[in-house]
Every structure is written in C-alpha cells, then in structure tokens.
Amino acid sequence: MDDDDRTEKIRQRAYEIFQREGGILGNHERHWHQAELEIDREAALPLTADDALPETREIDSADVLTVEALAMRTGISGDEAQELLDRLGNDRAVIEQAARDLQARKRGVD
C-alpha cells in the first residue's frame, strides 16, 4: 500500500469512526489517530483462509448465526460478540480484531 492509498484509507476510516460516534465535532485528531492504528494493524495482520473474505462482506448485527460464528471463531461469549457488532458496525476486520483482543485480555486475566 503506497502512502496515497494509506492516507485515503485512514481518511475514510476516520470519517466512519466520526459517524459511528454520532458525528460530534471536535475529536478529529483522536479519530485520525484511531484510524491510523486500525489501518496499520489490518495491513500487518497475516491472512488465513478464514480471513480471506472480500472486503465488501458486511456483518448484519441482527444475524444470530453471524454472532454465534464470531463467538465460536474467536472464543468470546455470544453477548460479547453482539456488543462488538453493535458498537463497531459492519467492518469485518475491525470486529474480528476486537474480538481477538478481547479474548487475549480475558486469557491474560484468567
């Protein structure tokens, strides 16, 4: 990914974060920084057969099978999976990473 592509992806993601948080002005630097972290983390993730889905695949938070599949695939509870889907929208890569992070934190606490 060249710098122009990265900057455009960050710009789009920052806007998505802005919208997801209710479109409240004044947090643009935090949105940009969060978008940079997400985009760079996604670029560094190794692809597995399970991850190699088209980027346009969206997750419908009302889809019980998707919630259960996310929970089973990542080892989090169904309630935690539903909360992630509700909070993060339909960006599969961000949801999958958040679920992995949540499970890793839980394992560290146990």
Side-chain angles (χ1 to χ4, degrees):
M1 167 172 40
D2 67 24
D3 285 344
D4 289 342
D5 287 342
R6 179 179 177 272
T7 300
E8 180 60 21
K9 287 181 179 188
I10 292 168
R11 186 194 65 72
Q12 289 174 352
R13 181 67 56 85
Y15 184 69
E16 290 168 8
I17 295 166
F18 165 75
Q19 288 182 312
R20 200 166 51 223
E21 292 184 1
I24 299 170
L25 297 175
N27 294 314
H28 62 279
E29 288 180 17
R30 183 177 55 77
H31 294 157
W32 188 270
H33 180 68
Q34 182 179 342
E36 281 181 312
L37 292 174
E38 290 177 9
I39 294 299
D40 290 344
R41 182 178 59 227
E42 289 167 17
L45 287 176
L47 283 180
T48 65
D50 213 15
D51 292 329
L53 293 174
E55 288 185 29
T56 57
R57 174 159 185 235
E58 294 183 350
I59 296 174
D60 181 354
S61 64
D63 182 353
V64 174
L65 293 176
T66 301
V67 172
E68 290 176 1
L70 176 63
M72 289 178 61
R73 190 168 54 251
T74 58
I76 63 175
S77 74
D79 288 342
E80 291 168 328
Q82 183 65 57
E83 192 275 332
L84 287 177
L85 291 167
D86 290 343
R87 182 166 51 91
L88 298 175
N90 58 12
D91 186 320
R92 183 180 189 279
V94 170
I95 291 167
E96 293 278 344
Q97 186 60 47
R100 287 189 205 102
D101 291 348
L102 178 61
Q103 180 58 18
R105 282 194 304 272
K106 285 171 50 178
R107 270 184 276 167
V109 172
D110 292 344

